[in-house]
Amino acid sequence: MGIIKNGIACAGVLAAAGAIETAYFYRRTMIRQNADVERTMKMAGTDWSQYSDILAERKAFMLAQPHEDVYQTAFDGLKLHASYFPAINENAGKKRIVICFHGYTSKSLADFTGLTDYYFRNGYAMLHPDARAHGDSEGKYIGFGCLDRKDALGWIDWVIQKCGTDVEIFLHGISMGGATVLMASGLTLPPQVKGIVSDCGFTSPKEVFTHVLKTMYHLPPFFVMQGAEIVNKKLAGYGMDECNAKREVAKAKIPVLFIHGSKDTFVPTRMCQELYDCCASPKKMLIVEDAAHGESYFKNMPAYEKALDEFIADCEKEEEKEA
């Protein structure tokens, strides 16, 4: 009996410890007011100071271009915000727009400050949404792609209404935004969506949190994730593995370009390979050597832009095949 009592007591202690760890992790990670951008940048480990000059130059140019704030109401009633930039260099009569989805704790425009130069030069209009619970969008609980993919459908519809049914739409996401566009790939997308670009996207909240808990928080992931699953379903309305990008890309019909840095410790590079292997649609992959999380474009701009050029050309060929 003594052994049984001791076992029950130990189980109770472990359960209590797990509950405390779950609450600590959940509050810091999933709730808007506690999710800190400085902490996220520190954990991601990318040295953005080395790119400060080019970021400042491109940000000034971007903000000097005509743009407007736009809004939509999400499927669950939240008011969502985005910044819309008309094209400034029309490309051979093509009416093209890219919808740019930012990463965790970021906001519209921030993660695409560098890449806007590429899209401006190539005649694209741009829409930069604030993810739910980020920037000027409403929301208390972060969607981690699982809810944001539904918001993406709303933004796609907004673009078609704004630009017309002859518009060509590309989805480009970084980090959580990368997961968002990959999770959207398994949905029924309108024919105007021609291609998807995911830069350092993760497979699912469960898998990336398990990695972060092990490597950065040094907490046992099993107890924490079990508790977080229950809490998040009740509060935010989705499970941590309810939407897994690997399962979604297995249903994809639209071409996908996967990009990742070889030295990404925040979202491990192996996730990119897993996603690529699962993808059912035409696909390409670029692994940028020595790039940390979200750094691939700045680490090797020529390779990144070449990959985009070739991918977009391949999307056009796919379009011609289907015509």
Side-chain angles (χ1 to χ4, degrees):
M1 287 297 292
I3 293 174
I4 294 173
K5 285 182 179 178
N6 287 339
I8 293 172
C10 287
V13 170
L14 287 172
I20 293 169
E21 290 165 350
T22 297
Y24 169 77
F25 175 74
Y26 192 86
R27 282 197 304 268
R28 285 168 61 93
T29 306
M30 304 297 295
I31 299 176
R32 177 185 193 133
Q33 63 264 33
N34 299 327
D36 180 69
V37 64
E38 295 299 329
R39 183 171 67 240
T40 302
M41 291 176 69
K42 184 177 179 181
M43 291 170 67
T46 308
D47 178 15
W48 291 108
S49 64
Q50 62 187 308
Y51 306 116
S52 57
D53 289 346
I54 190 168
L55 282 168
E57 177 185 336
R58 292 195 175 181
K59 182 178 181 180
F61 179 81
M62 173 182 67
L63 294 179
Q65 307 312 308
H67 60 283
E68 61 179 304
D69 294 317
V70 297
Y71 298 88
Q72 69 152 323
T73 301
F75 63 94
D76 55 356
L78 294 179
K79 186 178 181 181
L80 304 179
H81 165 265
S83 297
Y84 172 68
F85 288 77
I88 61 172
N89 179 27
E90 291 292 343
N91 184 353
K94 291 277 188 180
K95 191 191 292 184
R96 285 178 172 168
I97 186 169
V98 59
I99 308 179
C100 303
F101 297 87
H102 65 74
Y104 175 61
T105 70
S106 189
K107 59 183 178 179
S108 69
L109 307 181
D111 288 356
F112 284 85
T113 300
L115 274 159
T116 52
D117 180 72
Y118 173 85
Y119 286 117
F120 276 137
R121 279 188 281 114
N122 284 280
Y124 285 77
M126 285 178 278
L127 184 71
H128 296 266
D130 281 326
R132 57 176 50 225
H134 289 75
D136 291 330
S137 289
E138 293 180 343
K140 180 177 181 180
Y141 301 104
I142 295 170
F144 281 101
C146 298
L147 299 181
D148 307 291
R149 68 179 186 146
K150 299 178 183 179
D151 300 332
L153 289 178
W155 288 121
I156 291 168
D157 288 343
W158 183 93
V159 164
I160 294 170
Q161 291 179 30
K162 172 74 174 179
C163 301
T165 56
D166 59 337
V167 68
E168 295 183 358
I169 302 171
F170 287 82
L171 310 180
H172 193 152
I174 296 176
S175 193
M176 187 180 80
T180 296
V181 297
L182 294 178
M183 291 177 185
S185 72
L187 300 173
T188 301
L189 299 174
Q192 287 83 3
V193 181
K194 304 303 182 184
I196 292 172
V197 182
S198 171
D199 184 337
C200 61
F202 52 77
T203 51
S204 75
K206 180 180 180 180
E207 291 179 9
V208 78
F209 291 160
T210 296
H211 168 74
V212 169
L213 283 165
K214 284 179 179 177
T215 60
M216 299 179 186
Y217 279 81
H218 306 293
L219 293 174
F222 177 78
F223 289 108
V224 176
M225 291 311 302
Q226 290 291 98
E229 174 84 6
I230 295 168
V231 173
N232 204 57
K233 275 190 174 180
K234 183 176 181 180
L235 297 180
Y238 68 95
M240 295 298 190
D241 197 49
E242 187 173 306
C243 188
N244 187 306
K246 288 186 290 188
R247 295 196 296 265
E248 297 306 309
V249 297
K251 299 180 284 185
K253 296 179 173 60
I254 293 168
V256 181
L257 171 61
F258 298 89
I259 301 173
H260 220 100
S262 70
K263 290 190 175 178
D264 192 335
T265 57
F266 196 43
V267 176
T269 311
R270 62 173 170 78
M271 287 191 179
C272 184
Q273 185 66 57
E274 292 170 10
L275 289 160
Y276 179 85
D277 291 342
C278 290
C279 184
S281 62
K283 56 193 176 182
K284 284 180 173 289
M285 181 168 61
L286 171 68
I287 303 298
V288 179
E289 289 301 315
D290 298 323
H293 187 66
E295 189 188 17
S296 291
Y297 178 69
F298 294 92
K299 181 62 72 172
N300 194 336
M301 286 186 190
Y304 199 113
E305 294 193 359
K306 181 182 178 184
L308 285 175
D309 288 341
E310 292 176 351
F311 175 68
I312 293 163
D314 287 346
C315 290
E316 289 180 342
K317 291 175 186 175
E318 289 294 321
E319 185 74 10
E320 290 169 3
K321 283 182 191 176
E322 295 175 6

